[in-house]
């Protein structure tokens, strides 16, 4: 008979106490007509708990005659040495999970800096989930080992009508181990479910925080876009005003003084750079308007209409070209990879 026993063991360090998952191999060969029984134990470390208890039991059994039933007690020593530690390990894991649950429930994602704390808690929970996930398989393997030992113990007494009291005691102890392992399996299932619930809570909270951040960014972008549109409208208005006054400025600067027979003095004023108005002539008369004043409007009005009309036409052409390019891009769709030239 040979089997492998998985168990947890408390490791005491200088600063804290941790747990380690270990395995012990057991090999037993019994020859009733031969030299007896051969036992081989593969310990994960020297001076283990199992090794200490075995040495103590062997010294005790060496003082009295060994029987087959007493030899079968050796199988109970590994089980009794380690199965009870599962309870305390699962209790330690449960305390860690509840600590993370308290942290997850107390995190206020609306405050600055708590998003990073939630991410760190999520990572720690994933690490804890990695500890809990393989426990079910290890416990189920140990449960199968106990069930196999129980069947083996019963098979030794199939030929007898009555079961010795010590054999009943051994079977009862194996059944108690089965009950304990079933309870541990149920605890592991609850721990897995609890861990997953906390993970889902944190994931949902982080997603909601990310969505809220995205909404905030979109609102800022919308505000900036609105400001840009307002600025664009202001620029268009300034452009329109400039286009209205630009021809008038051009005409007034381009035309030469047209007040014939008038000798300008330093006291004479001009309107928009043209001598169309005189506030004091050489003869001493007052305000005087040039007879060619109509020429200013004759040039200004057509030039203004031409300038504004040209701007409107150019703006419409640019808008139409952008619209055609946008429709062409939307109608083209994804590029077929078969249309790309071969690189071979």
């Amino acid at each position: 008979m040979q089997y492998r026993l998985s168990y947890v063991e408390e490791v005491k360090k200088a600063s804290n106490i941790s747990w380690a998952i270990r395995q012990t191999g057991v090999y037993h060969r019994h020859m009733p007509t031969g030299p007896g029984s051969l036992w081989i134990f593969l310990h994960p470390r020297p001076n283990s708990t199992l090794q200490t208890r075995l040495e103590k039991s062997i010294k005790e059994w060496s003082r009295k005659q060994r029987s087959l039933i007493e030899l079968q007690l050796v199988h109970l020593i590994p089980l009794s040495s380690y199965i009870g530690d599962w309870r305390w390990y699962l209790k330690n894991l449960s305390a860690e999970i509840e600590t993370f649950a308290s942290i997850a429930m107390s995190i206020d994602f609306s405050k600055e800096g708590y998003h990073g704390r939630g991410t760190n808690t999520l990572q720690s929970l994933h690490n804890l989930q990695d500890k809990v996930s393989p426990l079910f398989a290890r416990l189920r393997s140990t449960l199968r080992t106990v069930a196999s030992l129980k069947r083996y113990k019963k098979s030794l007494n199939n030929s007898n009508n009555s079961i010795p009291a010590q054999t009943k005691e051994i079977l009862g102890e194996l059944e108690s181990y089965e009950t304990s392992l079933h309870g541990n399996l149920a605890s592991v299932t609850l721990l897995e479910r609890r861990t997953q619930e906390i993970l889902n809570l944190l994931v949902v909270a982080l997603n909601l925080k990310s969505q809220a951040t995205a909404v905030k960014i979109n609102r800022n972008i919308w505000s900036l876009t609105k400001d840009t549109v307002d600025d664009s409208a202001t620029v268009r208005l300034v452009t329109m005003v400039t286009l209205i006054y630009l021809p008038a400025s051009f005409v007034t600067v381009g035309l030469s003084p047209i007040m014939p027979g008038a000798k300008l003095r330093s006291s004479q004023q001009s309107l928009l750079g043209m001598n169309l108005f005189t506030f004091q002539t050489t003869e001493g008369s007052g305000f005087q308007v040039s007879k060619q004043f109509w020429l200013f409007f004759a040039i200004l009005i057509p030039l203004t209409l031409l300038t504004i009309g040209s701007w409107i036409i150019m703006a419409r052409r640019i808008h139409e070209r952008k619209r055609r390019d946008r429709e062409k891009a939307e109608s083209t769709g994804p590029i077929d990879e078969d249309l790309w030239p071969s690189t071979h």
Side-chain angles (χ1 to χ4, degrees), residues 63-76:
R63 294 194 299 265
K64 58 184 179 180
Q65 185 179 2
R66 294 175 296 177
S67 63
L68 177 60
I69 295 179
E70 291 174 339
L71 290 175
Q72 301 308 316
L73 292 175
V74 179
H75 289 290
L76 298 179

Side-chain angles (χ1 to χ4, degrees), residues 244-307:
I244 293 174
Y245 283 96
L246 181 61
S249 301
F250 174 76
V251 171
T252 55
V253 173
L255 292 179
S256 59
I258 55 176
M259 289 292 291
K263 296 181 180 180
L264 298 180
R265 299 179 181 179
S266 59
S267 60
Q268 290 179 332
Q269 303 295 329
S270 62
L271 178 63
L272 299 177
M274 296 180 62
N275 297 320
L276 298 177
F277 296 88
T278 302
F279 295 94
Q280 186 176 359
T281 63
T282 55
E283 290 79 9
S285 59
F287 182 77
Q288 184 178 0
V289 181
S290 173
K291 296 180 180 181
Q292 288 79 18
F293 184 72
W294 61 271
L295 186 60
F296 173 76
F297 292 101
I299 300 176
L300 172 63
I301 294 175
L303 186 59
T304 301
L305 295 177
L306 178 62
T307 303

